[in-house]
């Protein structure tokens, strides 16, 4: 089993300032604007997401997102391997995704997700 894409999400204090940096200074193309999160393409299959940091416990650390159509298959595999699961696969209406959340051995959040946002799929970033 392989993943289709990788996104590292970073919490930011000022979304507009971060957008100017990633989209302007670095010149990264904007893939999806989710309102309080924006995803920029770094290279084929790789992206950086920036999310407005809202408060304690809410997007306070980095999150690695692995994109695949087979979220449920990965869930079965990771649970069978004893990986801690914080959230079983479910639809997240706010971001139009189907996701599950896990923890690596050091406690970092690992998100396995499928984009259900037409902006993502019509941009040709799914299943490359």
């Amino acid at each position: 089993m392989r993943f289709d894409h990788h996104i590292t999400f970073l919490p930011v204090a000022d979304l507009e300032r971060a957008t100017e940096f990633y989209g302007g200074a670095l010149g990264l193309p904007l893939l999806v604007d989710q309102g309080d999160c924006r995803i920029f393409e770094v290279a084929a299959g790789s992206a950086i997401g920036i999310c407005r940091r809202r408060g304690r416990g809410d997007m306070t650390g980095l999150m690695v997102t692995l994109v695949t159509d087979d979220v449920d298959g990965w869930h079965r595999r990771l649970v069978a391997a004893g990986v801690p699961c914080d959230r079983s696969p479910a639809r997240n209406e706010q971001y139009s995704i189907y996701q599950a959340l896990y923890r690596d051995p050091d406690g970092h959040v690992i998100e396995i997700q499928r984009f259900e946002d037409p902006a993502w799929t019509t941009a040709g970033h799914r299943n490359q």
Side-chain angles (χ1 to χ4, degrees), residues 93-128:
E93 296 294 333
Q94 180 178 0
Y95 297 113
S96 192
I97 59 175
Y98 184 69
Q99 70 176 152
L101 300 175
Y102 307 90
R103 296 283 174 164
D104 76 3
D106 291 299
H108 301 113
V109 176
I110 306 297
E111 176 186 43
I112 308 292
Q113 80 166 38
R114 176 179 67 232
F115 276 99
E116 296 181 342
D117 180 346
W120 178 266
T121 58
T122 58
H125 298 285
R126 196 172 189 179
N127 294 326
Q128 288 183 358

Side-chain angles (χ1 to χ4, degrees), residues 7-8 23-24 37 56 64-65 82-83 92 94 110 115 118 123:
I7 305 167
T8 300
C37 289
R56 187 169 176 83
V64 173
T65 298
V83 175
N92 180 320
Q94 180 178 0
I110 306 297
F115 276 99

Side-chain angles (χ1 to χ4, degrees), residues 47-118:
I48 292 176
I50 55 172
C51 295
R52 181 175 291 121
R53 185 174 50 212
R54 293 180 291 255
R56 187 169 176 83
D58 184 19
M59 196 56 196
T60 57
L62 87 99
M63 178 172 69
V64 173
T65 298
L66 302 169
V67 181
T68 179
D69 281 334
D70 193 11
V71 174
D72 293 322
W74 277 101
H75 178 71
R76 288 187 297 274
R77 177 181 176 156
L78 295 175
V79 168
V83 175
C85 179
D86 287 355
R87 183 179 306 154
S88 294
R91 178 152 169 76
N92 180 320
E93 296 294 333
Q94 180 178 0
Y95 297 113
S96 192
I97 59 175
Y98 184 69
Q99 70 176 152
L101 300 175
Y102 307 90
R103 296 283 174 164
D104 76 3
D106 291 299
H108 301 113
V109 176
I110 306 297
E111 176 186 43
I112 308 292
Q113 80 166 38
R114 176 179 67 232
F115 276 99
E116 296 181 342
D117 180 346

